[in-house]
Amino acid sequence: MKAIIADDHSIVREGLKNILTKIKNLSEVDEVSTGDELIKKIENEKYDLAILDISMPGKGGMATLSELRQKGHTLP
């Protein structure tokens, strides 16, 4: 299983990554700091889980999620 974290605060990303890496079936955790970066990553790589910050500069989590859904991505 592969996950990605989108949050504009590096300390939050680090903390979540630290927690997620303890999950047995999770092989990789990537991180990005903006919604646009997340969309680019998901367009080019397969992820099983995305964790989004609701409030990010530029495109927030809800707008990013909406765009991903419009493009046909269904990951949780």
Side-chain angles (χ1 to χ4, degrees):
M1 188 161 107
K2 189 172 173 182
I4 188 164
I5 301 165
D7 194 298
D8 56 316
H9 297 98
S10 62
I11 194 151
V12 172
R13 291 192 314 267
E14 270 183 56
L16 286 171
K17 191 172 185 177
N18 189 23
I19 292 167
L20 291 173
T21 56
K22 293 177 181 3
I23 298 173
K24 285 184 182 181
N25 294 337
L26 196 59
S27 61
E28 187 176 340
V29 180
D30 287 338
E31 54 185 276
V32 295
S33 60
T34 69
D36 288 326
E37 288 177 27
L38 177 72
I39 290 167
K40 287 178 188 174
K41 283 278 227 177
I42 289 176
E43 293 285 319
N44 295 314
E45 298 181 45
K46 183 183 180 328
Y47 291 94
D48 301 296
L49 173 68
I51 299 173
L52 287 75
D53 181 5
I54 296 297
S55 178
M56 291 184 284
K59 190 178 297 175
M62 295 306 288
T64 301
L65 181 60
S66 178
E67 185 173 335
L68 288 170
R69 294 292 184 247
Q70 288 174 358
K71 292 182 176 195
H73 298 285
T74 60
L75 70 155

